[in-house]
Amino acid sequence: MGRLRNLAQTFHEFATNHFEQPDVPAVADGDNGYAKSTKIALLLLKEEINKPLRRLEDYLNEMPGILGVSDLEASPDYTSFSVWDDEFPMKELRRLLRASAEQAGLSGTASIDASGFQRDQASSHYRNRVGYSFNAMKTTLLVDTDSLAIMDAHFTTKKAYDGHIGLQVFRRNAEDLQALLADKMYSWSDLREACRDASTRPVIKHCEQNALKKAHNARIDDDVYNQRSMSETVFAMLKDDGDEIRSRSWHGQFRELTRKCIVHNLEQAAS
């Protein structure tokens, strides 16, 4: 319980610093008007506890010390968490993700890689109605190889070329990168050129289609390139309690995974 309370305190302080002055009350506008910082702190706590919403309310009510961190006497109704989820768009969550990564620390060297999270929570009827067939959410993370902070995240429910995603993610973070590490799935000349134009060293394996490409790979510094595995380490940490997504809609799944990334960063900062 000590660890969870410390994390709750970390979430509360992080949210307060980014949304309101410290003296704004947790319940600002009456019993149903929670402060914005309280909402995001509890949403982050929800991702850490990882319980179904109907059980989350009971779970929190059994932990007055955790609720006390946010100056609450009782847990909000479980339906409130669903309502709050819609109040924080991806643009705002990306800002918080970036802030949490900076709090954990950025070294200038980052690795990019992708993995999948299971979307089975959505019913087959819902999947057919909204027109998606992929059971996994393709998640691409840009990870600082020193602090293991997640600098950026990209999500898609469709087939997409890793090189295109890599270029999009790199452009959002170019000013903070001295080196970008990636495997041959990101071997695209446009990505390499974008890195060099931004004075970032592209440590990206080539697809070995000929002797020249093999020679390029042979010249890559293994000690640097092997740090690419830090992305895999972070994915393993995110999936420690499973790789299922609880949200049913694709936009809710994007936000859920982004909050999980923020929680990861704050845990790294606290450690």
Side-chain angles (χ1 to χ4, degrees), residues 114-177:
S115 186
F117 285 81
Q118 296 304 310
R119 312 175 68 201
D120 296 337
Q121 288 292 328
S123 68
S124 58
H125 171 74
Y126 175 84
R127 291 199 299 268
N128 292 333
R129 180 165 59 85
V130 299
Y132 79 74
S133 58
F134 289 93
N135 289 330
M137 175 75 71
K138 182 175 181 178
T139 302
T140 303
L141 300 181
L142 182 68
V143 174
D144 186 274
T145 57
D146 186 19
S147 67
L148 301 186
I150 299 171
M151 300 173 62
D152 202 350
H154 179 282
F155 312 106
T156 183
T157 61
K158 302 176 181 179
K159 289 184 178 179
Y161 174 45
D162 286 325
H164 294 163
I165 295 174
L167 180 58
Q168 180 180 343
V169 172
F170 170 73
R171 283 174 170 166
R172 289 200 297 254
N173 300 273
E175 64 181 17
D176 297 306
L177 294 176

Side-chain angles (χ1 to χ4, degrees), residues 31-204:
D31 291 342
N32 295 319
Y34 291 88
K36 200 171 185 181
S37 60
T38 302
K39 295 176 183 178
I40 193 63
L42 290 177
L43 284 171
L44 295 177
L45 186 62
K46 174 177 76 73
E47 302 303 343
E48 172 64 24
I49 294 175
N50 195 28
K51 298 287 185 183
L53 284 182
R54 289 180 180 273
R55 293 177 57 192
L56 179 65
E57 182 181 354
D58 291 338
Y59 196 82
L60 287 174
N61 280 327
E62 294 299 323
M63 298 187 294
I66 301 299
L67 292 174
V69 169
S70 295
D71 296 323
L72 298 176
E73 295 182 358
S75 170
D77 184 88
Y78 73 90
T79 59
S80 296
F81 289 93
S82 296
V83 174
W84 296 347
D85 183 39
D86 292 331
E87 293 183 17
F88 295 92
M90 278 298 299
K91 182 178 181 179
E92 192 159 32
L93 290 177
R94 284 192 182 281
R95 180 177 67 85
L96 293 176
L97 176 62
R98 181 64 184 185
S100 66
E102 291 174 353
Q103 188 165 317
L106 302 179
S107 66
T109 300
S111 170
I112 190 168
D113 205 354
S115 186
F117 285 81
Q118 296 304 310
R119 312 175 68 201
D120 296 337
Q121 288 292 328
S123 68
S124 58
H125 171 74
Y126 175 84
R127 291 199 299 268
N128 292 333
R129 180 165 59 85
V130 299
Y132 79 74
S133 58
F134 289 93
N135 289 330
M137 175 75 71
K138 182 175 181 178
T139 302
T140 303
L141 300 181
L142 182 68
V143 174
D144 186 274
T145 57
D146 186 19
S147 67
L148 301 186
I150 299 171
M151 300 173 62
D152 202 350
H154 179 282
F155 312 106
T156 183
T157 61
K158 302 176 181 179
K159 289 184 178 179
Y161 174 45
D162 286 325
H164 294 163
I165 295 174
L167 180 58
Q168 180 180 343
V169 172
F170 170 73
R171 283 174 170 166
R172 289 200 297 254
N173 300 273
E175 64 181 17
D176 297 306
L177 294 176
Q178 283 82 57
L180 177 67
L181 319 182
D183 62 22
K184 63 183 179 180
M185 299 302 293
Y186 297 86
S187 181
W188 188 32
S189 59
D190 286 14
L191 176 56
R192 288 191 174 87
E193 289 174 8
C195 287
R196 296 187 181 103
D197 289 343
S199 300
T200 299
R201 178 188 176 193
V203 186
I204 304 172

Side-chain angles (χ1 to χ4, degrees), residues 213-230:
K213 302 297 185 184
K214 291 180 180 179
H216 280 307
N217 286 346
R219 287 199 295 270
I220 291 178
D221 187 334
D222 286 340
D223 289 339
V224 175
Y225 179 75
N226 288 341
Q227 295 179 53
R228 189 190 61 81
S229 63
M230 294 300 99

